[in-house]
Amino acid sequence: MPLSFRRASLASLGLAFGLSALCLSPLMAQETAPAQPDAAAPAAPAAPVDPNAVIATVNGEKLTEADLQLAEGELSQQFAQLPPEQRRAAALSAAIEIRVMAKKAVDSGLDKDADFQRRMAFLQARALHGEVVEKEVVDKVTDAEVRARYDQEIANTPPVNEIHARHILVKTKEEAEAIIKQLDGGADFQKLANEHTSDPSGKTNGGDLGWFGPGQMVPEFDKAALALDVGKYSKEPVQSQFGWHVIKVEDKRAKQPPAFDDVKDQAKQAVIRDKYFAMVKDLRAAAKVEIPDEKLKKAIDALEGSK
């Protein structure tokens, strides 16, 4: 199961509330769209924001800039359809609605409900889980660890050869055999491809397929092409689901690994994943976990063993 390292979203915590600010119609958004700024005017640097600055009070309770930023972040998916200049107001409106509805819930005693308290205990635990992952795993990953993981993956990846090939695709075996006979007589492969191939992309480039590696073509084609030496063509027609092929290999080379900058994000995620599972393994080993249901316990053991 893929891991998500974001903090638990308010929108996903089962809280039901009406965000009237999100009911703004697309027409209103269009009518209030700002004029395009002068391209020649430099953008002014954003002023630093005091997270403790009070931007509203709700029933005497302060609502700060930090609270607003939290609302914007937690409800970002709901605000995505709004133009940027409306998102701050929508976030404030949502935060106010949440506060007044929460007060009504407390006044009604809903916070004392057993089901609610169980849900809140779970949500608190999940949020704390996210904090541990972020502070103790994600934030502690170093550039050196990411580079080491990249180097490890490259070292563990067996070398792969790519080939540059051309082909002539025809409908029948007899047509392919006739083309091979012409090649045996010294005919030019590219000229024959332009004249005879039924592959539309190959009619103007001599059947050129470019560079490809194992597994990128259908199995029959793949096997035949990889078996050919450079400069050689197939002496027997090769059948695939598309028809009959005559294949020529122009060149071969060792496939170059992806550059570090192109895959460093994937490498970082791999480091995070390994660190996370290592932490979970240690904590689970130190924890006293009892599961009375033997069938459920076996299922849990099997699940844990597969990680």
Side-chain angles (χ1 to χ4, degrees):
M1 180 183 297
L3 291 174
S4 174
F5 297 108
R6 291 188 58 197
R7 289 188 176 92
S9 168
L10 286 176
S12 67
L13 300 189
L15 300 177
F17 47 82
L19 301 180
S20 58
L22 300 184
C23 296
L24 298 172
S25 72
L27 289 177
M28 180 181 292
Q30 293 175 9
E31 291 173 358
T32 58
Q36 293 297 319
D38 185 354
V49 176
D50 179 5
N52 297 314
V54 177
I55 56 174
T57 58
V58 182
N59 295 320
E61 186 178 328
K62 295 178 181 179
L63 203 157
T64 67
E65 186 69 43
D67 295 326
L68 181 61
Q69 290 180 5
L70 180 62
E72 287 188 85
E74 297 293 343
L75 302 172
S76 59
Q77 290 185 346
Q78 287 89 330
F79 297 151
Q81 62 184 337
L82 297 178
E85 67 276 7
Q86 291 183 358
R87 291 174 191 167
R88 180 174 172 84
L92 179 56
S93 177
I96 292 171
E97 287 186 31
I98 291 171
R99 292 289 180 91
V100 297
M101 295 291 282
K103 184 178 185 304
K104 177 175 175 54
V106 172
D107 292 344
S108 301
L110 297 179
D111 58 322
K112 302 298 192 297
D113 180 80
D115 286 341
F116 173 77
Q117 290 185 350
R118 276 191 292 270
R119 186 162 67 250
M120 287 304 299
F122 173 77
L123 296 177
Q124 181 184 36
R126 191 172 75 172
L128 289 171
H129 165 277
E131 287 297 307
V132 170
V133 171
E134 184 169 341
K135 298 297 193 303
E136 298 296 324
V137 179
V138 177
D139 290 351
K140 292 188 177 181
V141 172
T142 67
D143 292 342
E145 288 175 318
V146 176
R147 182 70 201 207
R149 181 56 183 258
Y150 167 81
D151 291 339
Q152 175 189 338
E153 292 294 334
I154 297 301
N156 292 340
T157 301
V160 174
N161 283 329
E162 292 182 310
I163 64 174
H164 177 199
R166 300 177 185 272
H167 81 140
I168 303 171
L169 177 64
V170 292
K171 293 182 179 180
T172 68
K173 182 179 182 181
E174 290 72 24
E175 290 177 277
E177 289 174 336
I179 289 171
I180 291 173
K181 187 173 181 180
Q182 292 182 64
L183 291 171
D184 290 341
D188 181 73
F189 191 98
Q190 295 185 46
K191 182 178 179 182
L192 290 178
N194 290 338
E195 292 174 354
H196 298 287
T197 189
S198 60
D199 179 359
S201 63
K203 283 186 172 295
T204 57
N205 65 2
D208 193 358
L209 294 170
W211 290 93
F212 58 90
Q216 291 182 253
M217 300 294 181
V218 292
E220 304 88 351
F221 189 101
D222 199 49
K223 181 179 179 181
L226 291 171
L228 291 170
D229 292 329
V230 174
K232 302 297 183 181
Y233 56 87
S234 51
K235 294 295 185 177
E236 296 292 335
V238 178
Q239 186 180 21
S240 78
Q241 66 196 70
F242 302 105
W244 294 86
H245 306 262
V246 180
I247 307 168
K248 181 182 179 183
V249 172
E250 296 285 2
D251 201 0
K252 292 186 178 183
R253 68 184 182 189
K255 184 177 181 179
Q256 296 301 306
F260 173 69
D261 286 342
D262 293 338
V263 295
K264 63 181 179 182
D265 289 341
Q266 294 95 308
K268 182 175 182 178
Q269 288 302 314
V271 174
I272 290 171
R273 184 181 63 245
D274 290 350
K275 284 179 171 289
Y276 173 82
F277 282 123
M279 176 181 285
V280 169
K281 183 177 180 180
D282 290 343
L283 293 174
R284 288 289 294 267
K288 184 179 181 180
V289 179
E290 297 179 357
I291 304 174
D293 186 325
E294 191 61 31
K295 184 177 180 180
L296 182 57
K297 183 178 184 304
K298 288 182 179 179
I300 289 291
D301 291 342
L303 180 62
E304 296 298 323
S306 66
K307 291 182 180 178

